[in-house]
Amino acid sequence: MSPSRVLVLNSGSSSVKYQLLDMRDSSRLATGLVERIGEQTSRLRHTALTTGETREHNGPIADHQAALKTVAEELARDGLGLDSPELAAIGHRVVHGGMFFTEPTVVDDDVLAEIERLIPVAPLHNPANLTGIRTAMALRPDLPQVAVFDTAFHTTMPESAARYAIDTRIADRYRVRRYGFHGTSHAYVSRATAKLLGRAPEDVNVIVLHLGNGASASAVRGGRCVDTSMGLTPLEGLVMGTRSGDLDPAVIFHLARVGGMSMDEIDTLLNKRSGLFGLCGDNDMREIQRRIDEGDEEAQLAFDIYIHRLKKYIGAYFAVLGRVDAIAFTAGVGENAAAVRAAAVAGLEGLGPAVDDGLNAVRGDAPRLISPASARVAVAVVPTDEELEIARQTYALVGKDK
Ligand code: AMP
């Protein structure tokens, strides 16, 4: 039988998330997470879905190489080792693919060099992604390694949406443009929303709201992204867990000149100490809702700012798309926080969408509609599955000839 398994690796700066899938039926065979790589308190949590067994390792894991070796050992204990002839490929999440990578790509030396060249625009993510790829290549040099880029889905954006209004020569020299992120999720969710509506992706216009700790919105026309809220980096756009999203760029000059802050301090402020956390000291929407229920005004204001920005993007994407068939909520907040969904759509009835309180309150893992049948624009909750999407794209690239 031809190899049908794909290992998906999502390598962060101090973590590696992984899933092993069988692409004959898209089933998960194993999943796990290595955290705090490089510290004394590293932890690996591995679940074999074939047996239902979960194992945990606590203790130092020095680097990504050691982490992947431990993952390989765990998989081997379940008879799912990386040396198995059933493994077709390893699919890697790569955050920044610039303008060059518009499709999933089999990794070779040129691809590695290009991902490396993009480090200045993704200093937190691309180095970790590269380490993951190189380590996996060393473990299985004969196996196709496929890079699946967070930015790829957004490369269909027209220049009018992708360019900033700055001197074109400077923008081109330093590759300053709007790339967008969470593309794998926006691609998966927009397609799943079309399926939920019983229509072909080519016939459907969707506003996707990926609301997790990082958050982004996208306008998808007939399966192709035409605008998205993140830009050169994942800092632009919506209010996020710890990131500011949109602000007047002059805030940065002001903080430097008047506040005497360094560029690094401002970078940290806007990426790590802003957003919901900066506004109220919490970045977890559950905690914010709990505080609001207790009458906490600071938490209420943080929530209101979050919703106001979200509404502005929904309105903007109605204008960008002209006709909207559905709004889809996804990721940690979008899938779980009914209050956020209700507040984001409240007052937009004139544009077509509406939320049914009863449907909105129902929890579940499956894609579902939360709008009343009478709504002109459907509102949906569509759980994202970035790992499955990476596995699908990887398998589509390497599995088709087998
Ligand atoms: P993600 O980045 O997609 O994993 O989303 C993580 C975020 O989802 C957390 O920081 C929470 O703010 C939010 N979240 C997760 N579960 C819930 C829940 N049950 N209710 C509200 N928010 C949630």
Side-chain angles (χ1 to χ4, degrees):
M1 211 172 356
S2 61
S4 59
R5 290 180 190 163
V6 173
L7 177 66
V8 176
L9 287 182
N10 182 350
S11 307
S13 53
S14 65
S15 69
V16 176
K17 265 194 252 172
Y18 62 94
Q19 282 195 8
L20 182 69
L21 295 99
D22 188 332
M23 297 318 291
R24 278 175 302 195
D25 55 2
S26 299
S27 61
R28 281 173 176 73
L29 303 173
T31 131
L33 170 67
V34 192
E35 292 174 285
R36 297 191 289 273
I37 296 170
E39 294 178 32
Q40 290 302 309
T41 56
S42 315
R43 184 172 83 152
L44 171 95
R45 199 180 152 81
H46 172 91
T47 302
L49 295 148
T50 42
T51 60
E53 192 190 340
T54 294
R55 297 186 292 272
E56 216 177 282
H57 285 266
N58 292 292
I61 296 178
D63 51 26
H64 281 73
Q65 218 162 338
L68 266 192
K69 206 166 148 267
T70 318
V71 170
E73 283 163 12
E74 283 304 317
L75 288 167
R77 278 178 70 183
D78 301 314
L80 303 167
L82 293 190
D83 53 354
S84 162
E86 290 184 58
L87 191 60
I90 301 182
H92 298 266
R93 176 185 184 213
V94 180
V95 167
H96 215 310
M99 287 170 70
F100 188 71
F101 295 114
T102 58
E103 300 280 342
T105 305
V106 176
V107 177
D108 59 19
D109 287 346
D110 291 342
V111 172
L112 286 174
E114 184 60 24
I115 296 172
E116 193 151 8
R117 265 197 291 278
L118 288 162
I119 287 177
V121 282
L124 297 180
H125 295 105
N126 274 28
N129 302 156
L130 269 174
T131 308
I133 299 175
R134 290 202 170 107
T135 309
M137 284 175 112
L139 277 177
R140 276 296 304 269
D142 56 313
L143 203 65
Q145 311 276 337
V146 176
V148 179
F149 300 93
D150 264 24
T151 45
F153 184 61
H154 304 302
T155 54
T156 52
M157 275 197 289
E159 287 295 283
S160 53
R163 283 206 175 256
Y164 292 109
I166 63 169
D167 184 322
T168 303
R169 286 158 303 177
I170 302 233
D172 287 348
R173 188 182 316 152
Y174 298 110
R175 305 196 202 202
V176 174
R177 61 188 279 121
R178 307 190 58 254
Y179 295 100
F181 297 88
H182 292 143
T184 311
S185 176
H186 287 285
Y188 176 88
V189 170
S190 56
R191 222 174 326 105
T193 304
K195 192 168 170 209
L196 182 67
L197 299 180
R199 295 166 65 180
E202 300 75 45
D203 298 336
V204 176
N205 293 352
V206 189
I207 298 173
V208 178
L209 303 171
H210 177 111
L211 310 177
N213 203 20
S216 64
S218 68
V220 183
R221 176 181 291 136
R224 290 163 68 85
C225 177
V226 292
D227 203 355
T228 193
S229 60
M230 284 178 168
L232 174 74
T233 75
L235 184 55
E236 190 180 339
L238 301 174
V239 175
M240 309 183 209
T242 64
R243 289 175 232 156
S244 63
D246 294 337
L247 41 78
D248 181 345
V251 169
I252 295 163
F253 319 141
H254 182 78
L255 292 175
R257 291 184 190 131
V258 180
M261 293 174 73
S262 70
M263 276 304 150
D264 283 346
E265 284 170 339
I266 299 172
D267 193 330
T268 305
L269 171 77
L270 298 182
N271 275 296
K272 303 225 166 100
R273 288 174 31 226
S274 295
L276 292 169
F277 177 77
L279 289 165
C280 74
D282 274 307
N283 61 334
D284 192 314
M285 194 53 85
R286 286 164 286 203
E287 187 57 21
I288 290 168
Q289 287 179 301
R290 195 192 57 71
R291 284 172 57 184
I292 291 173
D293 290 343
E294 288 176 353
D296 186 319
E297 288 179 12
E298 202 180 41
Q300 181 69 57
L301 181 59
F303 184 87
D304 293 347
I305 295 169
Y306 183 95
I307 295 297
H308 180 74
R309 183 83 53 86
L310 197 50
K311 272 203 159 103
K312 287 214 292 197
Y313 270 93
I314 295 173
Y317 289 170
F318 262 90
V320 167
L321 289 169
R323 187 202 85 218
V324 176
D325 298 297
I327 299 173
F329 286 89
T330 194
V333 175
E335 290 168 29
N336 295 297
V340 168
R341 298 191 296 256
V345 175
L348 301 185
E349 291 78 10
L351 291 171
V355 165
D356 177 290
D357 290 339
L359 294 173
N360 191 27
V362 178
R363 302 185 64 85
D365 295 332
R368 57 198 183 274
L369 289 174
I370 58 167
S371 44
S374 58
R376 280 182 289 123
V377 173
V379 182
V381 180
V382 179
T384 193
D385 196 336
E386 289 168 281
E387 285 79 15
L388 176 58
E389 181 68 19
I390 291 172
R392 270 187 195 155
Q393 295 192 12
T394 299
Y395 193 62
L397 196 61
V398 304
K400 56 182 174 242
D401 301 329
K402 300 216 167 87

